[in-house]
Amino acid sequence: MKLRTISTKFNSMLGNFLARISYRQKVALTLSLGVIIGLTGLFFYLLRMHTYIIGDDPAACINCHIMSPYYATWAHSAHARNTTCNDCHVPNNNIVSHYAFKGMDGMKHVAYFVTHSEAQAIEAEEASAEVIMDNCIRCHKQLNQEFVNTGRIDYMEAQRGEGKACWDCHRDVAHMNKNSLSSTPGAEYVEPMPPSPVPDWLQKALGKKQ
């Protein structure tokens, strides 16, 4: 009921506003909105937002050059044979939490990259660490509970000191200890970086290409 009331009030305010402005102002407003929407869409396209949110290709992660060491070390690890970044770093219990976390985490990473506030050696924040350990348990459940019989210690139990997190023993999985841009300066050349999506004519107009 409240949503219907809000919608009615909004439509009334919009109708009153449009009634007060001239035809030329309406045209100018429409063009301005079109330009804003178009530039916003271009911005998200240049950031390859569609590859982050919809896709499952690990190469999308190296759209940001700071991820090159992590992509290169993953590509040369055993995990590269049958896992993607999303298998470890995104919730996989249901589609809603999967895409909600992926979208929020992706936007946070973009913000870090654009503002140059990322750490030289990136570490998983608490929310990400919990997701990673949950995925370790999900993938290796049979190994832990049937073959080796080590039991199951979840992330919160490890935080309370009631057991160890997976990486307390398996620190080098799957990115070979800590990596950073300064410690692995050639990582971005190990795997080819994806080509720029910006058309040649626009790169030339911006002076980015001769």
Side-chain angles (χ1 to χ4, degrees):
M1 197 67 177
K2 289 183 178 179
L3 288 176
R4 183 177 296 179
T5 303
I6 293 172
S7 176
T8 302
K9 288 183 178 179
F10 175 77
N11 289 334
S12 177
M13 291 173 60
L14 180 62
N16 291 335
F17 171 74
L18 292 175
R20 289 197 303 268
I21 63 176
S22 66
Y23 174 76
R24 288 186 176 181
Q25 289 174 322
K26 290 178 182 177
V27 172
L29 179 62
T30 302
L31 291 175
S32 299
L33 288 174
V35 169
I36 292 170
I37 293 171
L39 289 176
T40 301
L42 177 62
F43 175 72
F44 283 131
Y45 174 71
L46 295 181
L47 287 177
R48 301 174 188 266
M49 197 66 65
H50 54 289
T51 64
Y52 306 144
I53 297 176
I54 301 173
D56 202 36
D57 184 358
C61 293
I62 54 173
N63 290 334
C64 298
H65 74 282
I66 57 174
M67 297 306 297
S68 298
Y70 304 92
Y71 181 81
T73 49
W74 163 83
H76 294 278
S77 73
H79 277 73
R81 291 198 297 267
N82 50 22
T83 63
T84 66
C85 304
N86 289 328
D87 288 323
C88 297
H89 292 276
V90 177
N92 290 287
N93 52 335
N94 64 71
I95 193 170
V96 175
S97 61
H98 178 91
Y99 283 105
F101 185 92
K102 193 176 182 182
M104 290 187 293
D105 208 48
M107 289 303 298
K108 181 179 67 178
H109 289 174
V110 169
Y112 283 152
F113 179 63
V114 171
T115 58
H116 301 286
S117 56
E118 71 280 352
Q120 271 289 309
I122 300 173
E123 290 188 17
E125 297 179 358
E126 185 168 340
S128 293
E130 184 172 3
V131 167
I132 293 167
M133 187 159 169
D134 284 345
N135 282 322
C136 290
I137 294 168
R138 176 180 59 83
C139 283
H140 298 288
K141 181 178 179 179
Q142 186 178 28
L143 174 66
N144 289 340
Q145 297 186 10
E146 295 180 24
F147 299 157
V148 183
N149 197 28
T150 54
R152 171 174 175 158
I153 300 296
D154 65 26
Y155 179 75
M156 296 311 297
E157 287 173 322
Q159 289 294 91
R160 292 195 298 266
E162 298 174 11
K164 292 182 179 293
C166 302
W167 44 84
D168 288 333
C169 297
H170 304 281
R171 176 64 63 181
D172 295 345
V173 179
H175 296 290
M176 300 190 319
N177 212 332
K178 283 187 178 180
N179 305 291
S180 68
L181 290 177
S182 56
S183 65
T184 52
E188 62 183 287
Y189 303 107
V190 175
E191 301 295 334
M193 298 292 282
S196 172
V198 182
D200 288 343
W201 65 267
L202 184 54
Q203 291 191 54
K204 290 178 181 178
L206 295 172
K208 300 291 185 180
K209 190 172 184 179
Q210 300 298 325

